């Protein structure tokens, strides 16, 4: 999608602090971190929300979780603990309409 912020980040049109990339996935540091570790993990293919991801393409979500598991180790929060979450649509708190997961850790998180 042309006007999607995260698509522009994937293409390098907007700079990002990349922490991981493969054929299908891109991960980078959140620009406004809520904790010492705050990463965003996204599919390279554009889907606005999880609602728009067809069932037959849900394998990308498993791939994202595999990457998050490895990034948790790399960023030193696998054992101390961390949170992964996806905000979906307005009342879910979604601001950027390109599917993404947050990986947050490095401090005690509250419910
Ligand atoms: P959402 O609320 O949509 O789940 O989260 C969007 C996230 O993207 C927010 O945590 C916000 O800080 C982050 N974000 C917004 N614009 C940029 C940007 O240009 N670069 C980076 N690295 N993160 C961004
Ligand atoms: Zn996009």
């Amino acid at each position: 999608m042309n006007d999607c912020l995260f698509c522009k980040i994937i293409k390098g049109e907007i700079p990002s602090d990349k922490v991981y990339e493969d054929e299908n996935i891109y991960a980078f540091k959140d620009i406004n971190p809520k904790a010492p570790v705050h990463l965003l993990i996204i599919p390279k293919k554009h889907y606005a929300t999880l609602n728009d991801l067809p069932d037959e393409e849900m394998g990308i979500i498993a791939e994202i979780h595999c990457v998050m598991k490895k990034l948790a180790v790399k960023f030193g929060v696998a054992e101390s603990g961390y949170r992964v979450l996806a905000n979906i649509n307005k009342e879910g708190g979604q601001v950027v309409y390109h599917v993404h997961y947050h990986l947050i850790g490095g401090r005690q998180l509250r419910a």
Side-chain angles (χ1 to χ4, degrees):
M1 252 187 90
N2 283 341
D3 60 348
C4 171
L5 175 68
F6 285 176
C7 283
K8 287 179 181 166
I9 284 178
I10 292 164
K11 286 187 266 180
E13 293 172 9
I14 292 174
S16 67
D17 199 343
K18 180 172 83 172
V19 296
Y20 179 86
E21 182 174 14
D22 66 25
E23 190 185 347
N24 300 321
I25 292 169
Y26 191 89
F28 54 106
K29 292 185 180 176
D30 196 292
I31 205 167
N32 183 23
K34 303 273 191 292
V37 177
H38 189 166
L39 309 176
L40 298 171
I41 302 89
I42 67 179
K44 285 188 172 174
K45 193 166 174 188
H46 179 91
Y47 308 96
T49 81
L50 204 57
N51 296 339
D52 302 300
L53 218 166
D55 288 357
E56 59 272 22
E57 293 186 41
M58 279 297 168
I60 190 64
I61 299 301
E63 287 183 43
I64 285 173
H65 276 262
C66 286
V67 169
M68 292 195 291
K69 193 174 87 166
K70 292 181 181 110
L71 286 172
V73 172
K74 183 175 175 184
F75 282 83
V77 296
E79 296 307 321
S80 55
Y82 62 102
R83 181 172 293 167
V84 298
L85 62 94
N87 299 322
I88 295 149
N89 275 335
K90 184 169 173 289
E91 291 188 6
Q94 187 172 6
V95 174
V96 178
Y97 281 78
H98 179 126
V99 165
H100 57 279
Y101 278 80
H102 298 254
L103 189 166
I104 300 170
R107 66 169 171 82
Q108 180 62 55
L109 300 171
R110 305 290 169 198

